[in-house]
Amino acid sequence: MTRPLQLAACIALAALPFAALAQESVAAPEAADSTDAGSAENGRMLTYTCQGCHGVANYKNAYPNYRVPKIGGQSQEYLINALTEYKRGTRRHPTMEAQASSFSDQDIADIAAFLSSLNP
C-alpha cells in the first residue's frame, strides 16, 4: 500500500525543479493548426505533473517499463493528436490514459501550445 504513495511522492518531488524551469521558458502562445488556439500560460499550469516524467532526461517508467520520451518542443499537431488518442483510448498507456481522460479539448490545445513552445 505504501509503494503507490512513495511513487506519487517521488514524482511530485521530481517535478518541482521543472515547474520553475517551465515558468522561465514560456513563449508567446501560437495558434494551433486546428480551429482552437491554445493558451501557453494555461498549458504551463496544466503540465505541472507532466514534467515529473517527461522533463527528466533518460527517465524510465516503472510500469510499463520503458524510456519516457521528452515532449518539450514537439509540434502542436502531434501533441494534440497524441493526447486526444489517449483520451479516447485509441492510444494505450495506463498512466497517460488516466491523465488525458481529465482534459477538455481546450486543455489539450493549451497543453500543446505550451509544450511546443519549449526548447527541446
Side-chain angles (χ1 to χ4, degrees), residues 11 29 34-35 46 52 60 63 65 78 80 91 95 103 107 109 116-117:
I11 290 171
S34 68
T35 57
L46 290 169
K60 288 201 176 212
Y63 177 78
N65 188 7
Y78 171 81
I80 289 170
R91 188 170 182 168
T95 303
F103 297 140
D107 290 341
S116 67
S117 73

Side-chain angles (χ1 to χ4, degrees), residues 15 17-30 39-56 69-76 79 109-120:
F18 297 101
L21 177 64
Q23 288 177 356
E24 295 173 7
S25 60
V26 173
E30 296 178 15
S39 163
E41 183 60 29
N42 189 49
R44 179 184 61 80
M45 291 184 283
L46 290 169
T47 60
Y48 176 76
T49 59
C50 305
Q51 297 299 324
C53 293
H54 290 285
V56 179
K70 293 192 79 172
I71 53 178
Q74 287 282 0
S75 74
Q76 284 184 324
L79 293 164
D110 294 348
I111 289 167
F114 171 69
L115 291 173
S116 67
S117 73
L118 297 176
N119 292 326

